[in-house]
mmCIF file of all heavy atoms in Angstrom:
data_model
loop_
_atom_site.group_PDB
_atom_site.id
_atom_site.type_symbol
_atom_site.label_atom_id
_atom_site.label_comp_id
_atom_site.label_asym_id
_atom_site.label_seq_id
_atom_site.Cartn_x
_atom_site.Cartn_y
_atom_site.Cartn_z
ATOM 1 N N LYS K 34 -121.687 -206.236 -55.449
ATOM 2 C CA LYS K 34 -122.607 -207.128 -55.909
ATOM 3 C C LYS K 34 -123.592 -206.420 -56.901
ATOM 4 O O LYS K 34 -124.187 -205.495 -56.608
ATOM 5 C CB LYS K 34 -123.411 -207.857 -54.877
ATOM 6 C CG LYS K 34 -124.236 -209.139 -55.339
ATOM 7 C CD LYS K 34 -124.923 -209.736 -54.226
ATOM 8 C CE LYS K 34 -125.843 -210.939 -54.819
ATOM 9 N NZ LYS K 34 -126.715 -211.489 -53.814
ATOM 10 N N GLN K 35 -123.766 -207.125 -58.092
ATOM 11 C CA GLN K 35 -124.589 -206.519 -59.083
ATOM 12 C C GLN K 35 -126.079 -206.959 -58.780
ATOM 13 O O GLN K 35 -126.397 -207.979 -58.135
ATOM 14 C CB GLN K 35 -124.239 -206.999 -60.451
ATOM 15 C CG GLN K 35 -122.802 -206.603 -60.970
ATOM 16 C CD GLN K 35 -122.724 -205.165 -61.045
ATOM 17 O OE1 GLN K 35 -123.486 -204.509 -61.662
ATOM 18 N NE2 GLN K 35 -121.710 -204.494 -60.349
ATOM 19 N N PRO K 36 -127.033 -206.250 -59.334
ATOM 20 C CA PRO K 36 -128.517 -206.612 -59.171
ATOM 21 C C PRO K 36 -128.706 -207.973 -59.769
ATOM 22 O O PRO K 36 -128.199 -208.360 -60.820
ATOM 23 C CB PRO K 36 -129.255 -205.492 -59.916
ATOM 24 C CG PRO K 36 -128.276 -204.329 -60.005
ATOM 25 C CD PRO K 36 -126.955 -204.914 -60.032
ATOM 26 N N THR K 37 -129.577 -208.750 -59.186
ATOM 27 C CA THR K 37 -129.971 -210.094 -59.606
ATOM 28 C C THR K 37 -130.870 -210.031 -60.904
ATOM 29 O O THR K 37 -131.293 -209.056 -61.204
ATOM 30 C CB THR K 37 -130.634 -210.926 -58.535
ATOM 31 O OG1 THR K 37 -131.926 -210.230 -58.306
ATOM 32 C CG2 THR K 37 -129.792 -210.892 -57.298
ATOM 33 N N PHE K 38 -131.089 -211.180 -61.428
ATOM 34 C CA PHE K 38 -131.979 -211.295 -62.604
ATOM 35 C C PHE K 38 -133.401 -210.770 -62.159
ATOM 36 O O PHE K 38 -133.987 -209.976 -62.908
ATOM 37 C CB PHE K 38 -132.086 -212.744 -63.024
ATOM 38 C CG PHE K 38 -133.170 -213.055 -64.044
ATOM 39 C CD1 PHE K 38 -132.925 -212.868 -65.432
ATOM 40 C CD2 PHE K 38 -134.473 -213.378 -63.690
ATOM 41 C CE1 PHE K 38 -133.910 -213.091 -66.358
ATOM 42 C CE2 PHE K 38 -135.396 -213.584 -64.632
ATOM 43 C CZ PHE K 38 -135.223 -213.394 -65.988
ATOM 44 N N GLN K 39 -133.847 -211.181 -60.992
ATOM 45 C CA GLN K 39 -135.123 -210.717 -60.572
ATOM 46 C C GLN K 39 -135.238 -209.228 -60.389
ATOM 47 O O GLN K 39 -136.175 -208.577 -60.808
ATOM 48 C CB GLN K 39 -135.394 -211.417 -59.169
ATOM 49 C CG GLN K 39 -136.867 -211.267 -58.663
ATOM 50 C CD GLN K 39 -136.978 -210.163 -57.597
ATOM 51 O OE1 GLN K 39 -136.017 -209.268 -57.625
ATOM 52 N NE2 GLN K 39 -138.074 -210.137 -56.862
ATOM 53 N N GLN K 40 -134.147 -208.634 -59.773
ATOM 54 C CA GLN K 40 -134.208 -207.176 -59.656
ATOM 55 C C GLN K 40 -134.299 -206.466 -60.889
ATOM 56 O O GLN K 40 -134.981 -205.457 -61.101
ATOM 57 C CB GLN K 40 -132.999 -206.804 -58.770
ATOM 58 C CG GLN K 40 -133.043 -207.253 -57.318
ATOM 59 C CD GLN K 40 -131.748 -206.943 -56.575
ATOM 60 O OE1 GLN K 40 -130.664 -207.308 -57.063
ATOM 61 N NE2 GLN K 40 -131.892 -206.367 -55.503
ATOM 62 N N ASN K 41 -133.404 -206.980 -61.949
ATOM 63 C CA ASN K 41 -133.340 -206.320 -63.263
ATOM 64 C C ASN K 41 -134.637 -206.452 -63.968
ATOM 65 O O ASN K 41 -135.142 -205.529 -64.636
ATOM 66 C CB ASN K 41 -132.182 -206.878 -64.071
ATOM 67 C CG ASN K 41 -130.852 -206.277 -63.631
ATOM 68 O OD1 ASN K 41 -130.647 -205.128 -63.755
ATOM 69 N ND2 ASN K 41 -129.965 -207.151 -63.122
ATOM 70 N N LEU K 42 -135.168 -207.689 -63.853
ATOM 71 C CA LEU K 42 -136.508 -207.984 -64.549
ATOM 72 C C LEU K 42 -137.568 -207.010 -64.098
ATOM 73 O O LEU K 42 -138.228 -206.399 -64.936
ATOM 74 C CB LEU K 42 -136.799 -209.504 -64.347
ATOM 75 C CG LEU K 42 -138.218 -209.879 -64.858
ATOM 76 C CD1 LEU K 42 -138.201 -209.847 -66.390
ATOM 77 C CD2 LEU K 42 -138.659 -211.213 -64.364
ATOM 78 N N PHE K 43 -137.719 -206.914 -62.837
ATOM 79 C CA PHE K 43 -138.886 -206.174 -62.333
ATOM 80 C C PHE K 43 -138.566 -204.661 -62.353
ATOM 81 O O PHE K 43 -139.552 -203.849 -62.417
ATOM 82 C CB PHE K 43 -139.299 -206.701 -60.925
ATOM 83 C CG PHE K 43 -140.016 -208.031 -60.941
ATOM 84 C CD1 PHE K 43 -139.330 -209.122 -60.580
ATOM 85 C CD2 PHE K 43 -141.173 -208.089 -61.512
ATOM 86 C CE1 PHE K 43 -139.984 -210.399 -60.656
ATOM 87 C CE2 PHE K 43 -141.901 -209.276 -61.614
ATOM 88 C CZ PHE K 43 -141.250 -210.434 -61.170
ATOM 89 N N ALA K 44 -137.382 -204.292 -62.425
ATOM 90 C CA ALA K 44 -137.090 -202.865 -62.664
ATOM 91 C C ALA K 44 -137.494 -202.423 -64.104
ATOM 92 O O ALA K 44 -137.992 -201.347 -64.246
ATOM 93 C CB ALA K 44 -135.528 -202.628 -62.555
ATOM 94 N N ILE K 45 -137.272 -203.395 -65.080
ATOM 95 C CA ILE K 45 -137.823 -203.168 -66.471
ATOM 96 C C ILE K 45 -139.305 -203.105 -66.484
ATOM 97 O O ILE K 45 -139.891 -202.216 -67.000
ATOM 98 C CB ILE K 45 -137.245 -204.222 -67.421
ATOM 99 C CG1 ILE K 45 -135.728 -204.131 -67.504
ATOM 100 C CG2 ILE K 45 -137.945 -204.035 -68.792
ATOM 101 C CD1 ILE K 45 -135.024 -205.347 -68.173
ATOM 102 N N ILE K 46 -139.947 -204.089 -65.924
ATOM 103 C CA ILE K 46 -141.393 -204.205 -65.899
ATOM 104 C C ILE K 46 -142.046 -202.948 -65.183
ATOM 105 O O ILE K 46 -142.960 -202.334 -65.734
ATOM 106 C CB ILE K 46 -141.866 -205.526 -65.033
ATOM 107 C CG1 ILE K 46 -141.497 -206.702 -65.919
ATOM 108 C CG2 ILE K 46 -143.408 -205.517 -64.923
ATOM 109 C CD1 ILE K 46 -141.719 -208.025 -65.296
ATOM 110 N N ASP K 47 -141.494 -202.588 -63.952
ATOM 111 C CA ASP K 47 -142.064 -201.486 -63.300
ATOM 112 C C ASP K 47 -141.794 -200.184 -64.026
ATOM 113 O O ASP K 47 -142.688 -199.326 -63.958
ATOM 114 C CB ASP K 47 -141.460 -201.441 -61.839
ATOM 115 C CG ASP K 47 -141.836 -202.680 -61.015
ATOM 116 O OD1 ASP K 47 -142.794 -203.293 -61.419
ATOM 117 O OD2 ASP K 47 -141.151 -202.943 -59.988
ATOM 118 N N SER K 48 -140.661 -199.986 -64.621
ATOM 119 C CA SER K 48 -140.329 -198.758 -65.332
ATOM 120 C C SER K 48 -141.259 -198.567 -66.613
ATOM 121 O O SER K 48 -141.562 -197.470 -67.019
ATOM 122 C CB SER K 48 -138.845 -198.675 -65.874
ATOM 123 O OG SER K 48 -138.693 -199.569 -66.894
ATOM 124 N N ARG K 49 -141.828 -199.600 -67.057
ATOM 125 C CA ARG K 49 -142.657 -199.596 -68.320
ATOM 126 C C ARG K 49 -144.128 -199.553 -67.837
ATOM 127 O O ARG K 49 -144.951 -199.430 -68.678
ATOM 128 C CB ARG K 49 -142.438 -200.758 -69.238
ATOM 129 C CG ARG K 49 -141.055 -200.796 -69.893
ATOM 130 C CD ARG K 49 -140.960 -201.911 -70.787
ATOM 131 N NE ARG K 49 -139.633 -201.862 -71.514
ATOM 132 C CZ ARG K 49 -139.262 -202.729 -72.470
ATOM 133 N NH1 ARG K 49 -140.112 -203.538 -73.001
ATOM 134 N NH2 ARG K 49 -138.133 -202.473 -72.944
ATOM 135 N N GLY K 50 -144.368 -199.813 -66.585
ATOM 136 C CA GLY K 50 -145.807 -199.617 -66.131
ATOM 137 C C GLY K 50 -146.655 -200.733 -66.625
ATOM 138 O O GLY K 50 -147.849 -200.582 -66.808
ATOM 139 N N VAL K 51 -145.951 -201.929 -66.872
ATOM 140 C CA VAL K 51 -146.740 -203.183 -67.454
ATOM 141 C C VAL K 51 -147.186 -203.986 -66.258
ATOM 142 O O VAL K 51 -146.586 -204.134 -65.278
ATOM 143 C CB VAL K 51 -145.768 -203.881 -68.312
ATOM 144 C CG1 VAL K 51 -146.583 -205.094 -68.997
ATOM 145 C CG2 VAL K 51 -145.105 -203.135 -69.303
ATOM 146 N N LYS K 52 -148.465 -204.554 -66.375
ATOM 147 C CA LYS K 52 -149.002 -205.383 -65.341
ATOM 148 C C LYS K 52 -148.343 -206.738 -65.511
ATOM 149 O O LYS K 52 -147.940 -207.193 -66.557
ATOM 150 C CB LYS K 52 -150.490 -205.587 -65.597
ATOM 151 C CG LYS K 52 -151.373 -204.400 -65.292
ATOM 152 C CD LYS K 52 -152.841 -204.673 -65.430
ATOM 153 C CE LYS K 52 -153.671 -203.456 -65.108
ATOM 154 N NZ LYS K 52 -155.079 -203.701 -65.235
ATOM 155 N N ASP K 53 -148.212 -207.294 -64.269
ATOM 156 C CA ASP K 53 -147.563 -208.612 -64.175
ATOM 157 C C ASP K 53 -148.312 -209.638 -65.023
ATOM 158 O O ASP K 53 -147.728 -210.451 -65.798
ATOM 159 C CB ASP K 53 -147.537 -209.137 -62.748
ATOM 160 C CG ASP K 53 -146.436 -208.490 -61.977
ATOM 161 O OD1 ASP K 53 -145.742 -207.588 -62.526
ATOM 162 O OD2 ASP K 53 -146.269 -208.810 -60.770
ATOM 163 N N SER K 54 -149.609 -209.583 -64.975
ATOM 164 C CA SER K 54 -150.507 -210.603 -65.739
ATOM 165 C C SER K 54 -150.239 -210.457 -67.195
ATOM 166 O O SER K 54 -150.181 -211.484 -67.968
ATOM 167 C CB SER K 54 -151.974 -210.318 -65.399
ATOM 168 O OG SER K 54 -152.382 -208.994 -65.701
ATOM 169 N N ALA K 55 -149.938 -209.292 -67.711
ATOM 170 C CA ALA K 55 -149.720 -209.078 -69.171
ATOM 171 C C ALA K 55 -148.411 -209.781 -69.525
ATOM 172 O O ALA K 55 -148.266 -210.352 -70.628
ATOM 173 C CB ALA K 55 -149.665 -207.622 -69.455
ATOM 174 N N VAL K 56 -147.426 -209.610 -68.608
ATOM 175 C CA VAL K 56 -146.111 -210.184 -68.936
ATOM 176 C C VAL K 56 -146.170 -211.683 -68.910
ATOM 177 O O VAL K 56 -145.615 -212.374 -69.861
ATOM 178 C CB VAL K 56 -145.069 -209.715 -67.928
ATOM 179 C CG1 VAL K 56 -143.655 -210.346 -68.189
ATOM 180 C CG2 VAL K 56 -144.922 -208.192 -67.950
ATOM 181 N N TYR K 57 -146.666 -212.327 -67.880
ATOM 182 C CA TYR K 57 -146.662 -213.720 -67.822
ATOM 183 C C TYR K 57 -147.519 -214.450 -68.783
ATOM 184 O O TYR K 57 -147.295 -215.574 -69.228
ATOM 185 C CB TYR K 57 -146.865 -214.337 -66.364
ATOM 186 C CG TYR K 57 -148.195 -214.133 -65.631
ATOM 187 C CD1 TYR K 57 -149.267 -214.877 -66.070
ATOM 188 C CD2 TYR K 57 -148.247 -213.385 -64.638
ATOM 189 C CE1 TYR K 57 -150.556 -214.752 -65.484
ATOM 190 C CE2 TYR K 57 -149.566 -213.111 -63.912
ATOM 191 C CZ TYR K 57 -150.616 -213.936 -64.407
ATOM 192 O OH TYR K 57 -151.853 -213.791 -63.771
ATOM 193 N N LYS K 58 -148.570 -213.813 -69.146
ATOM 194 C CA LYS K 58 -149.394 -214.290 -70.287
ATOM 195 C C LYS K 58 -148.757 -214.331 -71.625
ATOM 196 O O LYS K 58 -148.766 -215.254 -72.329
ATOM 197 C CB LYS K 58 -150.792 -213.563 -70.323
ATOM 198 C CG LYS K 58 -151.715 -213.966 -69.284
ATOM 199 C CD LYS K 58 -152.951 -213.141 -69.343
ATOM 200 C CE LYS K 58 -153.963 -213.428 -68.157
ATOM 201 N NZ LYS K 58 -155.115 -212.531 -68.029
ATOM 202 N N LYS K 59 -148.117 -213.130 -71.892
ATOM 203 C CA LYS K 59 -147.350 -212.999 -73.163
ATOM 204 C C LYS K 59 -146.139 -213.905 -73.122
ATOM 205 O O LYS K 59 -145.801 -214.361 -74.259
ATOM 206 C CB LYS K 59 -146.851 -211.560 -73.242
ATOM 207 C CG LYS K 59 -146.690 -211.056 -74.673
ATOM 208 C CD LYS K 59 -146.527 -209.575 -74.715
ATOM 209 C CE LYS K 59 -146.207 -209.101 -76.183
ATOM 210 N NZ LYS K 59 -146.020 -207.699 -76.264
ATOM 211 N N ALA K 60 -145.517 -214.170 -72.049
ATOM 212 C CA ALA K 60 -144.316 -215.058 -72.034
ATOM 213 C C ALA K 60 -144.715 -216.496 -71.895
ATOM 214 O O ALA K 60 -143.893 -217.461 -71.941
ATOM 215 C CB ALA K 60 -143.543 -214.660 -70.749
ATOM 216 N N ASP K 61 -146.037 -216.769 -71.766
ATOM 217 C CA ASP K 61 -146.631 -218.224 -71.749
ATOM 218 C C ASP K 61 -145.909 -218.854 -70.517
ATOM 219 O O ASP K 61 -145.392 -220.007 -70.607
ATOM 220 C CB ASP K 61 -146.241 -218.944 -73.051
ATOM 221 C CG ASP K 61 -147.041 -220.236 -73.089
ATOM 222 O OD1 ASP K 61 -148.164 -220.494 -72.448
ATOM 223 O OD2 ASP K 61 -146.589 -221.197 -73.784
ATOM 224 N N ILE K 62 -145.983 -218.171 -69.300
ATOM 225 C CA ILE K 62 -145.464 -218.626 -68.141
ATOM 226 C C ILE K 62 -146.591 -218.793 -67.042
ATOM 227 O O ILE K 62 -147.452 -217.875 -67.147
ATOM 228 C CB ILE K 62 -144.331 -217.700 -67.599
ATOM 229 C CG1 ILE K 62 -143.077 -217.780 -68.441
ATOM 230 C CG2 ILE K 62 -143.993 -218.017 -66.058
ATOM 231 C CD1 ILE K 62 -141.970 -216.774 -68.108
ATOM 232 N N ASP K 63 -146.594 -219.890 -66.299
ATOM 233 C CA ASP K 63 -147.627 -220.066 -65.246
ATOM 234 C C ASP K 63 -147.604 -218.953 -64.225
ATOM 235 O O ASP K 63 -146.503 -218.471 -63.799
ATOM 236 C CB ASP K 63 -147.289 -221.404 -64.641
ATOM 237 C CG ASP K 63 -148.326 -221.772 -63.578
ATOM 238 O OD1 ASP K 63 -149.450 -221.995 -63.960
ATOM 239 O OD2 ASP K 63 -147.952 -221.695 -62.379
ATOM 240 N N ARG K 64 -148.805 -218.491 -63.865
ATOM 241 C CA ARG K 64 -148.891 -217.429 -62.829
ATOM 242 C C ARG K 64 -148.092 -217.710 -61.641
ATOM 243 O O ARG K 64 -147.572 -216.819 -60.930
ATOM 244 C CB ARG K 64 -150.350 -217.153 -62.621
ATOM 245 C CG ARG K 64 -150.625 -216.057 -61.533
ATOM 246 C CD ARG K 64 -152.037 -215.831 -61.376
ATOM 247 N NE ARG K 64 -152.783 -217.108 -60.897
ATOM 248 C CZ ARG K 64 -152.768 -217.502 -59.609
ATOM 249 N NH1 ARG K 64 -152.060 -216.846 -58.641
ATOM 250 N NH2 ARG K 64 -153.374 -218.643 -59.222
ATOM 251 N N ARG K 65 -148.188 -219.046 -61.170
ATOM 252 C CA ARG K 65 -147.502 -219.315 -59.854
ATOM 253 C C ARG K 65 -146.054 -219.178 -59.990
ATOM 254 O O ARG K 65 -145.319 -218.766 -59.110
ATOM 255 C CB ARG K 65 -147.963 -220.741 -59.392
ATOM 256 C CG ARG K 65 -149.377 -220.780 -58.874
ATOM 257 C CD ARG K 65 -149.836 -222.162 -58.736
ATOM 258 N NE ARG K 65 -149.953 -222.902 -60.047
ATOM 259 C CZ ARG K 65 -150.351 -224.091 -60.296
ATOM 260 N NH1 ARG K 65 -150.648 -224.876 -59.231
ATOM 261 N NH2 ARG K 65 -150.325 -224.684 -61.505
ATOM 262 N N LEU K 66 -145.559 -219.599 -61.124
ATOM 263 C CA LEU K 66 -144.066 -219.494 -61.351
ATOM 264 C C LEU K 66 -143.697 -217.993 -61.385
ATOM 265 O O LEU K 66 -142.646 -217.604 -60.769
ATOM 266 C CB LEU K 66 -143.666 -220.077 -62.682
ATOM 267 C CG LEU K 66 -142.193 -219.872 -63.149
ATOM 268 C CD1 LEU K 66 -141.270 -220.374 -62.180
ATOM 269 C CD2 LEU K 66 -141.930 -220.467 -64.533
ATOM 270 N N PHE K 67 -144.494 -217.144 -62.090
ATOM 271 C CA PHE K 67 -144.141 -215.805 -62.004
ATOM 272 C C PHE K 67 -144.175 -215.105 -60.667
ATOM 273 O O PHE K 67 -143.344 -214.346 -60.289
ATOM 274 C CB PHE K 67 -145.133 -215.033 -63.013
ATOM 275 C CG PHE K 67 -144.655 -213.555 -63.359
ATOM 276 C CD1 PHE K 67 -143.786 -213.409 -64.407
ATOM 277 C CD2 PHE K 67 -145.196 -212.591 -62.697
ATOM 278 C CE1 PHE K 67 -143.355 -212.198 -64.711
ATOM 279 C CE2 PHE K 67 -144.815 -211.277 -63.040
ATOM 280 C CZ PHE K 67 -143.889 -210.985 -64.007
ATOM 281 N N ALA K 68 -145.285 -215.477 -59.873
ATOM 282 C CA ALA K 68 -145.319 -215.092 -58.453
ATOM 283 C C ALA K 68 -144.032 -215.424 -57.716
ATOM 284 O O ALA K 68 -143.545 -214.693 -56.790
ATOM 285 C CB ALA K 68 -146.608 -215.570 -57.848
ATOM 286 N N LYS K 69 -143.624 -216.634 -57.895
ATOM 287 C CA LYS K 69 -142.344 -217.211 -57.246
ATOM 288 C C LYS K 69 -141.158 -216.294 -57.566
ATOM 289 O O LYS K 69 -140.295 -215.942 -56.746
ATOM 290 C CB LYS K 69 -142.116 -218.613 -57.791
ATOM 291 C CG LYS K 69 -141.382 -219.511 -56.806
ATOM 292 C CD LYS K 69 -141.427 -220.919 -57.441
ATOM 293 C CE LYS K 69 -140.752 -221.935 -56.531
ATOM 294 N NZ LYS K 69 -140.727 -223.251 -57.113
ATOM 295 N N ILE K 70 -141.043 -215.995 -58.863
ATOM 296 C CA ILE K 70 -139.909 -215.088 -59.283
ATOM 297 C C ILE K 70 -140.088 -213.755 -58.624
ATOM 298 O O ILE K 70 -139.100 -213.143 -58.107
ATOM 299 C CB ILE K 70 -139.868 -214.891 -60.820
ATOM 300 C CG1 ILE K 70 -139.799 -216.307 -61.534
ATOM 301 C CG2 ILE K 70 -138.800 -213.977 -61.341
ATOM 302 C CD1 ILE K 70 -139.868 -216.200 -63.078
ATOM 303 N N ARG K 71 -141.324 -213.174 -58.672
ATOM 304 C CA ARG K 71 -141.576 -211.849 -58.038
ATOM 305 C C ARG K 71 -141.181 -211.879 -56.526
ATOM 306 O O ARG K 71 -140.641 -210.904 -55.937
ATOM 307 C CB ARG K 71 -143.090 -211.524 -58.206
ATOM 308 C CG ARG K 71 -143.522 -210.275 -57.473
ATOM 309 C CD ARG K 71 -142.901 -209.055 -57.982
ATOM 310 N NE ARG K 71 -143.624 -208.254 -59.057
ATOM 311 C CZ ARG K 71 -143.307 -207.031 -59.439
ATOM 312 N NH1 ARG K 71 -142.391 -206.389 -58.908
ATOM 313 N NH2 ARG K 71 -144.099 -206.435 -60.299
ATOM 314 N N ALA K 72 -141.457 -212.940 -55.821
ATOM 315 C CA ALA K 72 -141.163 -213.003 -54.358
ATOM 316 C C ALA K 72 -139.739 -213.371 -53.927
ATOM 317 O O ALA K 72 -139.378 -213.014 -52.868
ATOM 318 C CB ALA K 72 -142.149 -214.179 -53.797
ATOM 319 N N ASP K 73 -138.984 -213.897 -54.872
ATOM 320 C CA ASP K 73 -137.637 -214.321 -54.443
ATOM 321 C C ASP K 73 -136.536 -213.536 -55.284
ATOM 322 O O ASP K 73 -136.363 -213.710 -56.391
ATOM 323 C CB ASP K 73 -137.507 -215.884 -54.743
ATOM 324 C CG ASP K 73 -136.067 -216.416 -54.369
ATOM 325 O OD1 ASP K 73 -135.303 -215.669 -53.783
ATOM 326 O OD2 ASP K 73 -135.951 -217.588 -54.449
ATOM 327 N N ILE K 74 -135.856 -212.673 -54.486
ATOM 328 C CA ILE K 74 -134.877 -211.732 -55.113
ATOM 329 C C ILE K 74 -133.753 -212.631 -55.775
ATOM 330 O O ILE K 74 -133.124 -212.167 -56.732
ATOM 331 C CB ILE K 74 -134.352 -210.773 -54.046
ATOM 332 C CG1 ILE K 74 -133.503 -209.707 -54.689
ATOM 333 C CG2 ILE K 74 -133.448 -211.472 -53.015
ATOM 334 C CD1 ILE K 74 -133.174 -208.505 -53.781
ATOM 335 N N ASP K 75 -133.467 -213.766 -55.248
ATOM 336 C CA ASP K 75 -132.364 -214.548 -55.700
ATOM 337 C C ASP K 75 -132.811 -215.743 -56.629
ATOM 338 O O ASP K 75 -132.081 -216.709 -56.939
ATOM 339 C CB ASP K 75 -131.586 -215.208 -54.589
ATOM 340 C CG ASP K 75 -130.756 -214.067 -53.841
ATOM 341 O OD1 ASP K 75 -130.136 -213.279 -54.504
ATOM 342 O OD2 ASP K 75 -130.832 -214.137 -52.653
#
C-alpha cells in the first residue's frame, strides 16, 4: 500500500519546516479543515 495523500502532504510540509498555519492561510483553507486533514491519515 502506497502512502496516502495526507501522509505525502505532511511529509512535504514537515521536510520543509513550514508551519501549518502558513500553509492553510496561503492555501485559503479553513483552519478546522486543515486540522481534520492533519488528524485523519485516510
Side-chain angles (χ1 to χ4, degrees):
K34 188 180 177 188
Q35 297 298 307
T37 65
F38 172 84
Q39 187 263 18
Q40 290 171 313
N41 282 296
L42 172 68
F43 288 105
I45 295 167
I46 292 171
D47 296 342
S48 72
R49 294 184 177 189
V51 186
K52 288 184 178 178
D53 284 2
S54 57
V56 176
Y57 66 72
K58 282 176 184 173
K59 205 169 179 182
D61 194 27
I62 290 173
D63 183 70
R64 180 181 57 82
R65 286 167 298 182
L66 172 59
F67 194 83
K69 209 173 179 181
I70 299 171
R71 172 67 92 171
D73 184 358
I74 195 171
D75 291 315

